[in-house]
Amino acid sequence: MTRGIRVKNTDDIQKINKIVTKYGFDIWIHGKSGMVDAKSLLGMFLLSLNEPLQIVLEDDEDPAAVKALFKDLAEYLEIDDED
């Protein structure tokens, strides 16, 4: 499952990282420059912020947990993306 995510600056990186570390499943951020573990603050700082980014989850994650994650990340998510 993927969803577009907006990461504008280092403050966004820190806030997103703090949110995703509350969840017990793998969460990745993918861009043209590669894929990083969203729970790794160091990895998140390797992202190129001037390219489109996607949050990536396994398709078999608990739907309620995914819904809660997306609610927590609402201010960063792209609205028009498909699940």
Side-chain angles (χ1 to χ4, degrees):
M1 171 182 315
T2 63
R3 172 90 40 106
I5 189 165
R6 292 180 306 273
V7 183
K8 298 175 189 164
N9 53 46
T10 57
D11 287 339
D12 286 354
I13 287 173
Q14 292 173 349
K15 290 173 186 173
I16 291 168
N17 176 262
K18 186 174 182 177
I19 291 168
V20 300
T21 56
K22 297 189 287 184
Y23 292 88
F25 49 88
D26 291 336
I27 303 168
W28 301 89
I29 305 285
H30 181 268
K32 292 178 184 176
S33 58
M35 187 180 303
V36 300
D37 182 350
K39 294 180 182 179
S40 167
L41 190 56
L42 181 59
M44 293 277 289
F45 278 109
L46 295 175
L47 292 170
S48 177
L49 301 182
N50 57 355
E51 66 184 39
L53 298 172
Q54 298 280 324
I55 190 165
V56 180
L57 309 171
E58 295 291 328
D59 287 334
D60 61 350
E61 297 301 341
D62 174 28
V66 171
K67 184 176 181 178
L69 170 66
F70 287 164
K71 181 178 178 185
D72 287 348
L73 290 173
E75 70 179 283
Y76 304 104
L77 296 178
E78 300 286 343
I79 295 170
D80 58 346
D81 282 32
E82 301 278 329
D83 283 75

